[in-house]
Amino acid sequence: MLRSGSYDSIVLGAGPNGLAAAVTMARAGKSVLVVEARESPGGCVRSDEGTLPGFLHDTYAAIFPLACGTPFFGGLPSSGFPVEWIVPPVAVAHPFDDGTCLALSRSEEASAQAMGEDGDAYLDLIGSFAGRWRALAGDILQPLLHVPRHPALFLSFCLKGLQSAQHTANRLFRTEKARALFAGLGAHAILPLDSIGTAAFALFMAASAHATGWPIPRGGAGRIADALAAYLRSMDAEIQLSREVHDFRALPYSRVLFFDLTPRHILETTGRLLPFRHRIQLGRYRYGPGVCKVDWALDGPIPWTAPGCREAGTVHLGGSFREIALSERRVWQGAHPGSPFVICTQPSLFDPGRAPRGRHVAWAYCHVPNGSHQNMAERIERQVERFAPGFTRLILARRVMTAGSLQGRNPNLVGGDIASGANTMYQLLFRPTVSWRPYAFGWSRFRICSASSPPGAGVHGMCGYNAARNALEEIWRIKSPER
């Protein structure tokens, strides 16, 4: 029996994974309290008018490849989660200096046809993964060490994904353009492209482009957090905002305590109360490079030379495989690339309510060394101008967030690391600690549910969903049904 004023579960942190853990517990009939330091829930899923009045920017995440068709979001009732998803005609485009681009749309065949002589190789590589997206996502978005529900598909993905993006691109593709497209997808790993496992990121991003189209939420990313919070409250869960917690003992008693925090902040919150070996392992957790992000208020759409870029929600800017690989390598060496690989989004092309009539918003970021305070806006804008001459003349206002200032806005972004930890092979296998029970640590009631736990970064809610299911099974012996 719970003590008066206690809860079945408390979630510390209201990012998308914390909210996912809370929703999963509440749907199982458990009492839930969510405690958040900010004045509103959402973590890295929020929107604001950060440049000029009337221009709505996604403060952090803007494109959501993993928010559709995955077990957590796919299991939410439409009545309880009324977010309208917009799917751009093109998920991602990769322009080149000759004025052309390669693009991935929902159609695998059309995307492959544009690759010319590399089209068949691309279809052979990606076809089974895109065609069985829900099955693949259900297994990939689990701890890597688990019994897969679709073993043949999962094993095939692991065998192909274990390679480096560089090895896979050079082995399979004959043209520089196809290799460059694969490099841009692999760079989402935020690792040097010759690192093992980077092919998995490229494969997964490509498969999701065909399966989900990389959708955006109408009205901005903040609508996702608002909908999750409203759904929670409809199930009588409590959400306390603007409440900083420096010691978990200041919280009411709960059967299980979820930390939507990185290992660094878990250590700060628990002090020396964790067992020594857990403190050592959490203290050794490695963070990856940061990002420098720019938001723009624009006087018109970005004037891309390649027509395909004008239909894309996301545009990868980096030119050739060699350029992208050099940029990502230099970041890992602690340097700021002169021509960075840039990920650019343009949501107002498809959601015109984000800006005043005839005007637009866009954002872009590049990878930088962890903790960097260097303003990369000029280099980022030079990359956009390279493929969209006249772009800089459209800028009405800009907001720049360096890696260091990102951490100031959201402490979970340690050093500006948007992945909540380096995506090295070791940390993909053992994240955040070496354990067969990756969500449990320290005392039996503690669970980590942030992106520092499996399956890692991305707005998919699966870290929180998996952690909550783990707690329900271990503490309440409730076996959650598979979705």
Side-chain angles (χ1 to χ4, degrees), residues 177-388:
K177 288 184 177 180
R179 291 171 181 166
L181 173 69
F182 200 74
L185 296 168
H188 283 265
I190 322 180
L191 291 169
L193 295 183
D194 58 358
S195 301
I196 61 171
T198 46
F201 285 84
L203 291 173
F204 200 58
M205 297 306 290
S208 68
H210 300 307
T212 73
W214 294 14
I216 63 174
R218 186 176 300 279
R223 293 292 178 88
I224 299 173
D226 292 343
L228 288 174
Y231 184 39
L232 262 178
R233 292 187 174 106
S234 74
M235 293 185 286
D236 295 325
E238 297 178 45
I239 303 177
Q240 294 182 3
L241 302 173
S242 302
R243 180 180 177 183
E244 291 193 30
V245 176
H246 302 288
D247 185 334
F248 79 95
R249 291 172 295 183
L251 295 168
Y253 174 80
S254 62
R255 291 281 300 277
V256 61
L257 176 58
F258 294 98
F259 292 85
D260 187 13
L261 306 174
T262 71
R264 176 179 297 184
H265 300 103
I266 290 174
L267 288 171
E268 292 174 358
T269 307
T270 56
R272 300 183 62 83
L273 295 176
L274 289 180
F276 178 74
R277 67 183 181 90
H278 289 276
R279 298 203 308 271
I280 291 297
Q281 288 195 59
L282 291 174
R284 289 175 176 169
Y285 188 76
R286 183 181 181 187
Y287 296 92
V291 304
C292 179
K293 175 181 177 286
V294 186
D295 291 296
W296 295 292
L298 302 173
D299 198 26
I302 299 177
W304 303 108
T305 301
C309 292
R310 302 172 198 165
E311 298 183 308
T314 301
V315 183
H316 286 168
L317 305 174
S320 68
F321 188 107
R322 182 180 180 278
E323 288 180 75
I324 297 170
L326 177 62
S327 172
E328 297 306 287
R329 168 62 63 183
R330 286 186 61 79
V331 170
W332 269 83
Q333 293 171 338
H336 294 81
S339 295
F341 170 66
V342 172
I343 298 175
C344 177
T345 74
Q346 41 189 6
S348 57
L349 285 182
F350 318 102
D351 186 6
R354 305 275 190 108
R357 187 172 182 176
R359 294 184 168 180
H360 287 270
V361 296
W363 73 234
Y365 70 79
C366 70
H367 300 142
V368 295
N370 188 280
S372 166
H373 288 279
Q374 182 156 330
N375 183 336
M376 296 288 285
E378 182 179 350
R379 300 182 200 186
I380 290 172
E381 290 174 3
R382 191 162 61 236
Q383 285 287 66
V384 181
E385 184 80 18
R386 171 182 173 185
F387 301 103

Side-chain angles (χ1 to χ4, degrees), residues 7-48:
Y7 299 84
D8 291 314
S9 57
I10 293 179
V11 182
L12 191 53
N17 283 306
L19 294 173
V23 165
T24 304
M25 295 299 294
R27 294 185 74 185
K30 303 304 175 185
S31 58
V32 179
L33 169 66
V34 179
V35 179
E36 166 60 39
R38 296 286 301 274
E39 70 285 351
S40 61
C44 285
V45 181
R46 59 181 72 242
S47 307
D48 62 44

Side-chain angles (χ1 to χ4, degrees), residues 65-135:
L66 304 179
C68 294
T70 47
F72 172 67
F73 280 104
L76 295 176
S78 57
S79 58
F81 187 69
V83 172
E84 180 184 351
W85 296 105
I86 300 171
V87 179
V90 170
V92 58
H94 189 118
F96 302 99
D97 291 311
D98 64 0
T100 65
C101 74
L102 287 181
L104 299 183
S105 66
R106 296 294 294 274
S107 171
E108 300 160 50
E109 291 74 18
S111 302
Q113 185 176 9
M115 297 181 196
E117 61 182 301
D118 282 322
D120 288 341
Y122 177 79
L123 286 177
D124 288 342
L125 177 66
I126 207 69
S128 62
F129 304 135
R132 299 186 63 194
W133 166 252
R134 283 183 178 269

